[in-house]
Amino acid sequence: MKLGFLTGIMGDMSIYEKIEWAHKIGFETLEVSCWPKTNSRDYSGSDIDVANFTKEEADKLNRFLKENEMTIVTLAYYDNNLDHDPVKRKGYNDHLIKVIDAASLLGVKNVGTFIGRDMTLPIEENFDEMEKVFKPILEYAKEKNVRIIIENCSMPGWHESGWAGTISYSPELWDEMFKRLPYDNFGLNYDPSHLLWLGIDYIQALKDYKDKIFEVHAKDTEVFEDKKKYYSILGKQLGRKDNWDLGFWRHRMPGKGDIDWKKFIDTLKEIGYDDELVIEHEDLEYQDTVEKVKEGLELGYKYLKERM
């Protein structure tokens, strides 16, 4: 397995600086953030300007990657592709196509995104919307030899009460997603950190969906059981400091939460997964400065490497 990280967390450093630093630490791959240059998403980044990306720039970047013995596994653009606002939805969908184009130019196999959710519609109707939006996207990606991978975050920060802001966060919903869109180039970016606080068996699901796991995110979650008993599984409802404040859990670097990483990695080997394990750094303890971010990524790298 190759270890990597999602690049947006390192801020305004150029992609070339990030590649050099990653190689120095021992990382072998990257998931590269490709949001629009102007956007309001947390944990976003614009390490490749896909709206203006050229073949010449792709060739230059690939040469640099080769010189540094690095690869790019995924171009990342996680946004709400089913947004109720038709103008916003079109903007998200159109940008996703540009990310697919950039992946094709680079020879990158994956583009990572969210399904999203129209908060005004029942979930069954959201699946109808998903089919309308994603069928042409998947067909286009297939022509470009690119896979679309869906991270299983429930995106509670998109919902005013902290409930699910996407329709792709549980095995029940994955079954419906893959039944409606049975494409070979459509799979999961499997992140156990979300499954843990949702109460889903992240080891069993790993086994059950082994044929649909195209990438794995390495992010940990620390659950505070006493607070969970107080707030319930739905989380804090009063006095939340922001949309993400559910009161009983927080994301951590691998090894600082409740994921059993040795068992998780052993299970990856058991199911025959030998691809990329990508750290998605959302640990607030290591985010105040670029140096703190680097410290967190190094800790995550060393912890995971020792268990591989």
Side-chain angles (χ1 to χ4, degrees):
M1 270 176 274
K2 291 182 178 180
L3 276 176
F5 64 89
L6 180 57
T7 60
I9 192 66
M10 294 186 78
D12 294 333
M13 294 170 59
S14 75
I15 186 60
Y16 293 94
E17 292 174 298
K18 293 176 184 182
I19 290 167
E20 284 185 320
W21 181 83
H23 173 65
K24 182 179 72 173
I25 300 305
F27 288 105
E28 298 176 88
T29 194
L30 294 171
E31 181 176 350
V32 177
S33 300
C34 292
W35 275 261
K37 285 294 183 182
T38 301
N39 76 89
S40 58
R41 279 280 280 115
D42 55 340
Y43 293 109
S44 67
S46 301
D47 289 315
I48 295 175
D49 180 10
V50 298
N52 301 291
F53 199 55
T54 65
K55 179 66 164 61
E56 291 72 25
E57 288 173 307
D59 291 343
K60 177 184 175 184
L61 182 53
N62 275 332
R63 285 194 298 271
F64 194 78
L65 286 162
K66 187 175 182 180
E67 290 167 7
N68 284 273
E69 300 176 292
M70 293 285 294
T71 64
I72 296 174
V73 56
T74 297
L75 298 189
Y77 175 53
Y78 300 95
D79 231 317
N80 188 355
N81 285 292
L82 302 187
D83 197 290
H84 173 68
D85 184 325
V87 175
K88 288 183 179 179
R89 181 189 290 196
K90 186 176 188 305
Y92 297 148
N93 299 167
D94 288 351
H95 188 77
L96 184 58
I97 292 295
K98 293 173 185 175
V99 180
I100 293 168
D101 287 338
S104 180
L105 285 175
L106 286 163
V108 170
K109 61 186 178 182
N110 298 323
V111 165
T113 193
F114 290 137
I115 297 296
R117 185 172 192 165
D118 181 338
M119 307 300 174
T120 70
L121 296 177
I123 194 163
E124 291 85 354
E125 292 181 31
N126 265 276
F127 276 107
D128 295 338
E129 292 299 303
M130 178 197 72
E131 288 189 67
K132 295 174 190 174
V133 168
F134 273 88
K135 275 184 178 179
I137 289 172
L138 287 164
E139 291 286 354
Y140 186 78
K142 187 175 182 179
E143 291 174 8
K144 296 287 185 174
N145 199 29
V146 172
R147 304 186 301 186
I148 300 297
I149 62 174
I150 304 299
E151 189 191 344
N152 54 274
C153 181
S154 66
M155 293 306 289
W158 283 353
H159 193 288
E160 63 181 8
S161 296
W163 301 345
T166 65
I167 62 168
S168 50
Y169 59 86
S170 69
E172 174 198 18
L173 302 176
W174 303 340
D175 285 346
E176 184 69 10
M177 185 171 72
F178 294 131
K179 182 181 76 174
R180 290 186 180 232
L181 296 170
Y183 286 80
D184 291 339
N185 66 328
F186 189 43
L188 293 172
N189 184 354
Y190 190 94
D191 188 331
S193 70
H194 308 298
L195 301 178
L196 179 74
W197 73 264
L198 286 167
I200 297 168
D201 186 338
Y202 60 89
I203 296 294
Q204 187 59 50
L206 195 61
K207 298 175 183 178
D208 292 343
Y209 293 88
K210 62 181 181 180
D211 294 332
K212 279 296 188 179
I213 296 172
F214 293 170
E215 184 190 311
V216 174
H217 266 178
K219 184 163 78 262
D220 216 330
T221 294
E222 183 178 12
V223 175
F224 306 102
E225 290 294 339
D226 56 335
K227 293 182 179 180
K228 182 179 177 182
K229 292 173 184 175
Y230 179 69
Y231 291 123
S232 86
I233 189 67
L234 298 178
K236 184 195 295 186
Q237 297 297 303
L238 303 174
R240 292 163 66 204
K241 62 185 179 183
D242 56 45
N243 283 354
W244 292 99
D245 179 21
L246 296 186
F248 72 90
W249 62 268
R250 62 174 176 167
H251 286 315
R252 300 303 311 269
M253 294 305 299
K256 289 187 171 292
D258 297 318
I259 297 288
D260 184 338
W261 288 103
K262 182 65 170 67
K263 186 176 182 180
F264 185 78
I265 290 171
D266 286 347
T267 305
L268 286 174
K269 294 175 182 176
E270 177 188 322
I271 65 173
Y273 184 88
D274 192 32
D275 294 308
E276 294 81 8
L277 187 57
V278 175
I279 296 173
E280 185 184 21
H281 180 354
E282 294 184 1
D283 189 331
L284 294 176
E285 186 177 336
Y286 299 98
Q287 288 187 25
D288 290 341
T289 64
V290 172
E291 290 309 310
K292 289 296 289 184
V293 168
K294 289 180 177 179
E295 180 185 348
L297 288 171
E298 286 191 63
L299 284 171
Y301 173 85
K302 290 175 182 176
Y303 184 86
L304 293 171
K305 195 70 174 175
E306 289 170 359
R307 285 151 184 83
M308 292 175 68

